[in-house]
C-alpha cells in the first residue's frame, strides 16, 4: 500500500489562484464563435459573450485571462479594436490561417468578458511590431482615470471608468514569432518598453511580465536576465520585472509529427506523460537561473502557455488548432497543475493554452452547442487549491510504471490547506493497475472527507453526441481506518479529496 504522510505544521508556499489561469488568443474559433458571438446572435449571450460558455467558466472559478495573444499580440494594434464596430479596421490574421480579423472583439470587449467572469486581467502588449508610444498609450487608455487624451478617448468610446490591468506582458515569444530577436536585443527593448508601462494607480500596480524562454532555452533566460540586471540601481529594480514567462507544450510525437489527440497507442500515451512531467525539470532549470538574479524569489515564473498540442481534428483548418480532448489530456492537466502547486514558491501564474476551441481546451463549441472536456473537469476538481497553502508531505510505496523508454511514477499529487480544509489532488497514470493508498495527517484523525473522481479509458472523450462520457463523479471509496483515510485509486484516474 502506498502511504502519504501530510505534515500540516509545515507550509511551503501560497498557491496563487492565477496558477489556474487561462489564455485566449485571436486564433481560430477561440474567441470568435467560442466566446464572442456578437450581440445580435441567435446564441444566447450577454453583450455578445456566450452565456453557456461564461456560466461554465464561472463554475471552475477562472482566476485570470490572458489576451490577445500569443503570436497575435505582436501584430496587434489596439486602436484597430476600439470605437464603433462598423468602423473598425479589418486586418489579416497572418499567424493563424490568414483569415480576416474584423476587430469586433477589442479592449472594451475583453474587459466586458473578464467582468462577466469575475477574473483578473492579463493583457499582452506588442513589442514585435508596435512602438513604445503605442504601448504606453494603451496603458493610459485602459488604466488612467484623470484627464488625458487616451482617457478622453476611452470615455468617448463609452467607458467612463478606467479598468484594472493586473498583469501586462511586454511582448510574446520575441525569440520567435515576436521578432526573432536575440536575448540581449529583447532585454534592452524590455528595459525600454516597460519603463512606459506607467502605474497610473499606484495602489493597484500593474505586474510586468518579461518574455521568457521556450522549453529548455537557458541561453535565452541567461541572456535576458543578465542584460536586464546589468548595473541596476535599487530604484531601477523596483517594480521593473514581476514575472518571467515560460512556454512549454507537450507535443506527443514531437513538433513535426505531433500525433492525433484521440488516436494514440499506449507507448505514445506514456511518452506524453513523460513529456508532461518534464515541465518540473524546466521549472527547476530556469528557476536556478532566476535564483542567481532574484534569490528572494520576487520575480514569479509565469507559465503563460502550457498544454497538450496535437494535430488538428481531421477536416478542420490547420491554422485554427482545433483538437479533441481525452482522459490523456485530463491526466496531463492534473500532473501539470500538481507540479505548479508544488513549485508555488516560484510559479505565480500558469495559463492553459487555450481556454475554448484551441489546443488543450476546457470547452469545445459547435454552433449553439457546447461541451465540457475532460480537462474542464480537472480544473473543476482542483479549484479548491486556489489561495491554499501548500503542505509539506511525503509519499512512499509509489511504483514506477510505463515503458522502458518512458518510465513514469504511477501516482503524482499535490496537497494544500485553506480555512482548515485540506485538499489532496492525486493522479494515477498507470493504465493497468489500481493502487491502495493510506493518508495520514501528523497523527491527527482524518474526518469529514468528501471526494470526486474522474476516470475512464485513456481514449475516452466527450463529443457533441455524447457530451457526458467523461465527467467528474462523487467518489465514495474513501474509508476511515483508525486515524487515517484509505482508498484505492483506480488506473487512469484523478481523485480530489477534501478532509
Ligand atoms: O498558443 C498558440 C501559440 O503558441 C501562441 O500564439 C504562441 O505564443 C505559441 O507559440
Amino acid at each position: 500500500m502506498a502511504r502519504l504522510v501530510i505534515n500540516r505544521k509545515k507550509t511551503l508556499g501560497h498557491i496563487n489562484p492565477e496558477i489556474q489561469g487561462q489564455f485566449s488568443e485571436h486564433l481560430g474559433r477561440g474567441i470568435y464563435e467560442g466566446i464572442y458571438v456578437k450581440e445580435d446572435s441567435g446564441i444566447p449571450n450577454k453583450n455578445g459573450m456566450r452565456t453557456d460558455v461564461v456560466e461554465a467558466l464561472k463554475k471552475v472559478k477562472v482566476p485570470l485571462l490572458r489576451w490577445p495573444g500569443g503570436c497575435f499580440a505582436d501584430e496587434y494594434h489596439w486602436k484597430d479594436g476600439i470605437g464603433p464596430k462598423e468602423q473598425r479596421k479589418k486586418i489579416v490574421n497572418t499567424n493563424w490561417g490568414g483569415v480576416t480579423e474584423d476587430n469586433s472583439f477589442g479592449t472594451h470587449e475583453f474587459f466586458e468578458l473578464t467582468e462577466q467572469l469575475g477574473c483578473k486581467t492579463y493583457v499582452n502588449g506588442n513589442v514585435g511590431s508596435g512602438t513604445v508610444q503605442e504601448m504606453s498609450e494603451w496603458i493610459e487608455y485602459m488604466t488612467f482615470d484623470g484627464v488625458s487624451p487616451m482617457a478622453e478617448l476611452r470615455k468617448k468610446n463609452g467607458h467612463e471608468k478606467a479598468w484594472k490591468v493586473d498583469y501586462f506582458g511586454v511582448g510574446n515569444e520575441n525569440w520567435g514569432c515576436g521578432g526573432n530577436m536575440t536575448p540581449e536585443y529583447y532585454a534592452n527593448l524590455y528595459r525600454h518598453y516597460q519603463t512606459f508601462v506607467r502605474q497610473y494607480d499606484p495602489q493597484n500596480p500593474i505586474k510586468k511580465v518579461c518574455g521568457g524562454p521556450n522549453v529548455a532555452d537557458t541561453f535565452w533566460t541567461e541572456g535576458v536576465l543578465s542584460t536586464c540586471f546589468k548595473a541596476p540601481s535599487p530604484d531601477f529594480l523596483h517594480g521593473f520585472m514581476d514575472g518571467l514567462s515560460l512556454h512549454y507544450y507537450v507535443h506527443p510525437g514531437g513538433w513535426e509529427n505531433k500525433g492525433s489527440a484521440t488516436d494514440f497507442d499506449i507507448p505514445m500515451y506514456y511518452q506524453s506523460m513523460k513529456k508532461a512531467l518534464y515541465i518540473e525539470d524546466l521549472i527547476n532549470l530556469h528557476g536556478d537561473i532566476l535564483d542567481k538574479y532574484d534569490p528572494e524569489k520576487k520575480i514569479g515564473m509565469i507559465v503563460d502557455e502550457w498544454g497538450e498540442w496535437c494535430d488538428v481534428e481531421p477536416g478542420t483548418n490547420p491554422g485554427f488548432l482545433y483538437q479533441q480532448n481525452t482522459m490523456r489530456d485530463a491526466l496531463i492537466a492534473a500532473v501539470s497543475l500538481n507540479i505548479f502547486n508544488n513549485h508555488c514558491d516560484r510559479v505565480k501564474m500558469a495559463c492553459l493554452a487555450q481556454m475554448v476551441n484551441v489546443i488543450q481546451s476546457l470547452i469545445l463549441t459547435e454552433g449553439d452547442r457546447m461541451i465540457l472536456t475532460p480537462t474542464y473537469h480537472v480544473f473543476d476538481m482542483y479549484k479548491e487549491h486556489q489561495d491554499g497553502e501548500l503542505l509539506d508531505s511525503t509519499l512512499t510505496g509509489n511504483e514506477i510504471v510505463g515503458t522502458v523508454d518512458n518510465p513514469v511514477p504511477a501516482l503524482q499529487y499535490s496537497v494544500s490547506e485553506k480555512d482548515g480544509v485540506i485538499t489532496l489532488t492525486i493522479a494515477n497514470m498507470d493504465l493497468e493497475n489500481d493502487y491502495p493508498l493510506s493518508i495520514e495527517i501528523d497523527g491527527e484523525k482524518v474526518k469529514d472527507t468528501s471526494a470526486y473522481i474522474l476516470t475512464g479509458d485513456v481514449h475516452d472523450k466527450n463529443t457533441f453526441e455524447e457530451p457526458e462520457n467523461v465527467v467528474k463523479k462523487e467518489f465514495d471509496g474513501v474509508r476511515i481506518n483508525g486515524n487515517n483515510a484509505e482508498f484505492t485509486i483506480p488506473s487512469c484516474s484523478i481523485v480530489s479529496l477534501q478532509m
Side-chain angles (χ1 to χ4, degrees):
M1 178 180 287
R3 182 164 170 249
L4 176 66
V5 179
I6 299 170
N7 180 2
R8 208 179 166 188
K9 297 188 191 81
K10 188 167 172 196
T11 56
L12 301 175
H14 182 73
I15 298 178
N16 250 9
E18 287 94 312
I19 279 182
Q20 293 176 20
Q22 299 296 326
F23 170 38
S24 266
E25 178 169 12
H26 288 240
L27 194 179
R29 299 187 301 112
I31 289 177
Y32 299 111
E33 286 185 42
I35 299 170
Y36 180 65
V37 288
K38 302 192 178 164
E39 293 77 351
D40 58 0
S41 167
I43 299 174
N45 69 84
K46 182 174 165 203
N47 297 329
M49 311 300 156
R50 291 180 71 128
T51 316
D52 53 354
V53 169
V54 168
E55 286 310 310
L57 293 171
K58 277 162 70 175
K59 279 198 191 119
V60 292
K61 294 196 181 147
V62 167
L64 164 136
L65 183 61
R66 175 179 183 234
W67 171 84
C71 295
F72 183 80
D74 279 292
E75 273 197 311
Y76 184 59
H77 300 287
W78 67 272
K79 285 186 184 164
D80 294 348
I82 56 169
K85 291 199 181 168
E86 60 288 355
Q87 288 169 23
R88 293 189 191 175
K89 224 185 246 177
K90 293 192 174 44
I91 59 159
V92 50
N93 189 334
T94 53
N95 284 290
W96 306 116
V99 295
T100 302
E101 161 66 58
D102 71 1
N103 278 303
S104 54
F105 189 98
T107 304
H108 292 247
E109 291 73 25
F110 170 67
F111 285 101
E112 168 67 27
L113 173 61
T114 53
E115 270 164 33
Q116 289 190 25
L117 293 174
C119 73
K120 290 191 176 170
T121 56
Y122 179 10
V123 176
N124 212 115
N126 178 349
V127 171
S129 69
T131 62
V132 176
Q133 181 180 1
E134 183 181 4
M135 187 181 280
S136 82
E137 285 185 342
W138 199 9
I139 297 291
E140 182 187 321
Y141 187 88
M142 292 186 286
T143 64
F144 185 52
D145 245 343
V147 178
S148 80
M150 290 304 113
E152 294 311 311
L153 185 58
R154 183 191 68 240
K155 290 174 196 167
K156 190 173 138 232
N157 286 331
H159 208 275
E160 189 63 29
K161 294 289 294 170
W163 294 288
K164 181 156 169 6
V165 173
D166 294 291
Y167 294 83
F168 191 82
V170 181
N172 168 74
E173 296 196 351
N174 298 91
W175 40 261
C177 65
N180 288 301
M181 300 172 189
T182 63
E184 291 74 21
Y185 181 67
Y186 169 72
N188 282 318
L189 289 183
Y190 177 80
R191 289 171 67 134
H192 183 181
Y193 277 59
Q194 68 78 30
T195 311
F196 300 93
V197 177
R198 299 292 188 203
Q199 302 288 7
Y200 290 107
D201 179 3
Q203 301 309 314
N204 293 299
I206 301 167
K207 293 192 168 76
K208 299 172 191 174
V209 180
C210 176
N214 190 37
V215 195
D217 187 358
T218 50
F219 174 73
W220 180 268
T221 308
E222 184 60 53
V224 165
L225 290 179
S226 59
T227 305
C228 279
F229 279 78
K230 206 167 272 172
S233 74
D235 281 353
F236 169 69
L237 277 181
H238 179 69
F240 102 110
M241 189 191 292
D242 300 284
L244 181 76
S245 69
L246 165 65
H247 288 183
Y248 176 61
Y249 288 96
V250 172
H251 304 297
W255 173 250
E256 294 295 336
N257 292 301
K258 300 179 183 70
S260 162
T262 51
D263 186 11
F264 51 88
D265 60 18
I266 302 306
M268 184 61 89
Y269 159 74
Y270 283 113
Q271 182 161 304
S272 313
M273 294 316 300
K274 184 85 188 297
K275 288 185 175 186
L277 293 168
Y278 178 58
I279 201 163
E280 182 152 35
D281 296 348
L282 296 176
I283 292 168
N284 290 328
L285 186 72
H286 297 294
D288 284 350
I289 301 175
L290 266 168
D291 283 350
K292 272 199 311 183
Y293 295 94
D294 170 40
E296 291 174 37
K297 298 195 194 311
K298 288 188 175 151
I299 298 175
M301 195 178 284
I302 305 289
V303 191
D304 55 14
E305 289 186 30
W306 68 272
E308 184 185 37
W309 184 340
C310 299
D311 293 342
V312 298
E313 278 295 290
T316 64
N317 187 329
F320 282 14
L321 310 185
Y322 177 75
Q323 63 186 59
Q324 249 293 0
N325 197 290
T326 67
M327 268 304 294
R328 176 175 67 170
D329 294 83
L331 285 158
I332 289 174
V335 302
S336 303
L337 291 173
N338 282 337
I339 290 169
F340 302 148
N341 285 348
N342 290 332
H343 289 271
C344 66
D345 59 335
R346 183 60 93 180
V347 177
K348 298 297 173 191
M349 186 212 292
C351 303
L352 178 74
Q354 302 190 0
M355 190 162 75
V356 183
N357 285 339
V358 176
I359 313 183
Q360 181 173 353
S361 313
L362 296 181
I363 290 176
L364 302 177
T365 68
E366 209 174 79
D368 62 356
R369 295 190 293 172
M370 171 198 88
I371 55 174
L372 307 175
T373 65
T375 301
Y376 174 94
H377 293 284
V378 173
F379 276 79
D380 198 20
M381 290 164 70
Y382 275 59
K383 62 188 178 206
E384 303 307 331
H385 282 304
Q386 291 187 19
D387 265 329
E389 299 301 316
L390 181 72
L391 294 180
D392 181 46
S393 61
T394 315
L395 176 68
T396 50
N398 201 0
E399 302 281 340
I400 299 295
V401 299
T403 59
V404 176
D405 290 339
N406 292 296
V408 297
L411 306 180
Q412 194 265 10
Y413 73 99
S414 64
V415 58
S416 70
E417 177 166 355
K418 184 173 62 183
D419 302 330
V421 177
I422 295 177
T423 299
L424 165 70
T425 48
I426 184 160
N428 180 1
M429 286 176 263
D430 191 336
L431 297 185
E432 285 178 3
N433 299 298
D434 307 343
Y435 294 97
L437 174 70
S438 153
I439 299 158
E440 181 184 325
I441 307 178
D442 279 339
E444 283 184 58
K445 184 160 177 60
V446 178
K447 54 183 184 199
D448 300 332
T449 62
S450 64
Y452 286 97
I453 187 164
L454 189 72
T455 190
D457 181 87
V458 71
H459 298 97
D460 282 354
K461 58 181 186 287
N462 295 330
T463 63
F464 291 92
E465 293 67 43
E466 292 182 288
E468 305 219 322
N469 270 340
V470 189
V471 290
K472 76 163 196 188
K473 297 204 169 106
E474 274 182 41
F475 180 56
D476 60 7
V478 182
R479 303 273 170 268
I480 302 297
N481 183 1
N483 281 344
N484 300 353
E486 288 180 1
F487 64 90
T488 294
I489 179 162
S491 60
C492 191
S493 68
I494 301 142
V495 167
S496 66
L497 169 65
Q498 292 206 280
M499 305 172 268

